Amino acid sequence: NAGVTQTPKFRILKIGQSMTLQCTQDMNHNYMYWYRQDPGMGLKLIYYSVGAGITDKGEVPNGYNVSRSTTEDFPLRLELAAPSQTSVYFCASSPILDNTQYFGPGTRLTVL
Amino acid sequence: QQPVQSPQAVILREGEDAVINCSSSKALYSVHWYRQKHGEAPVFLMILLKGGEQKGHDKISASFNEKKQQSSLYLTASQLSYSGTYFCGTGGSGNTPLVFGKGTRLSVIA
């Protein structure tokens, strides 16, 4: 089992560019999550999904979009990147909502 | 609402004990604890569910007081490998995602 994988590991974007952060899990988990982590601020939930075709906003969804067409994949789309989106992004999955979350290795994104 | 963790940071010598607290202004259904080492992803430690239970493995244990809406993480006889940032995540019910605190940075020195 690879667990939760994320690509890319690092990325530098220019203001206004778009990109998709990829997340895949091979544990057949229903729940998947996207978090951003800024220094000293903890983990903030961007979006989450309870299963294929179902997504919901978290605490900080503005500027992001998600889709969940399969159980395995949960990509995060950034449209019109802004410097405020410079952060480390973690994808996670869990079998049910109130259970252990397994995190991917993270993507470090810088917007200049 | 984001739970409040205290202290924000603590430095220990090997073998010393530490307590990290997590409190919420909302009724809690569950508390999760994670540890994150520098440059790595958070790793699950334990979950405590409503019922006031205490859990532990090795020399790390935790308690959950639902009346006080708080949880404490206990690290005894700390080791260098315990260094990292500890996060609590709180669940208000079985239908809402976790909300994580800002973290407590723990440094264990020789």
Side-chain angles (χ1 to χ4, degrees):
Chain A
N1 274 0
V4 180
T5 57
Q6 291 182 238
T7 56
K9 289 189 176 158
F10 304 94
R11 183 72 185 267
I12 298 175
L13 281 182
K14 293 184 178 179
I15 294 172
Q17 286 185 321
S18 302
M19 78 164 294
T20 299
L21 280 66
Q22 301 293 343
C23 175
T24 300
Q25 54 96 3
D26 63 0
M27 296 173 283
N28 201 33
H29 286 170
N30 287 325
Y31 291 82
M32 295 187 74
Y33 316 84
W34 273 106
Y35 295 94
R36 60 175 290 171
Q37 185 175 38
D38 302 307
M41 299 303 291
L43 295 156
K44 298 284 192 180
L45 184 65
I46 305 171
Y47 273 95
Y48 68 105
S49 169
V50 303
I54 307 170
T55 63
D56 208 348
K57 295 178 181 179
E59 190 180 354
V60 290
N62 291 346
Y64 307 95
N65 279 301
V66 293
S67 60
R68 183 104 181 263
S69 56
T70 66
T71 300
E72 296 78 19
D73 299 307
F74 190 40
L76 178 71
R77 177 85 177 160
L78 279 73
E79 305 281 3
L80 300 174
S84 60
Q85 293 178 305
T86 293
S87 189
V88 179
Y89 292 84
F90 287 103
C91 178
S93 72
S94 65
I96 58 175
L97 190 58
D98 204 358
N99 207 321
T100 306
Q101 291 191 20
Y102 297 86
F103 285 81
T107 295
R108 186 175 294 274
L109 177 69
T110 302
V111 182
L112 300 174
Chain B
Q1 193 147 359
Q2 190 172 37
V4 176
Q5 289 186 233
S6 63
Q8 289 183 315
V10 59
I11 300 174
L12 299 174
R13 291 199 178 274
E14 273 187 296
E16 290 183 337
D17 302 339
V19 180
I20 299 171
N21 299 303
C22 174
S23 62
S24 174
S25 58
K26 294 175 66 173
L28 296 180
Y29 177 83
S30 66
V31 179
H32 300 220
W33 285 98
Y34 288 78
R35 177 171 61 204
Q36 183 180 32
K37 294 190 178 285
H38 182 69
E40 298 180 7
V43 174
F44 170 77
L45 291 176
M46 64 189 77
I47 295 176
L48 299 101
L49 298 176
K50 191 175 174 179
E53 64 179 289
Q54 184 151 352
K55 271 195 173 180
H57 62 84
D58 199 8
K59 293 173 183 169
I60 300 176
S61 62
S63 63
F64 177 21
N65 187 323
E66 63 195 75
K67 285 186 180 177
K68 292 186 177 180
Q69 296 163 192
Q70 65 185 33
S71 175
S72 295
L73 186 71
Y74 307 94
L75 299 100
T76 58
S78 59
Q79 307 166 18
L80 294 175
S81 61
Y82 286 3
S83 293
T85 300
Y86 289 78
F87 293 98
C88 68
T90 54
S93 73
N95 295 319
T96 57
L98 295 181
V99 181
F100 285 92
K102 292 184 178 181
T104 294
R105 180 174 291 181
L106 180 79
S107 300
V108 182
I109 58 175

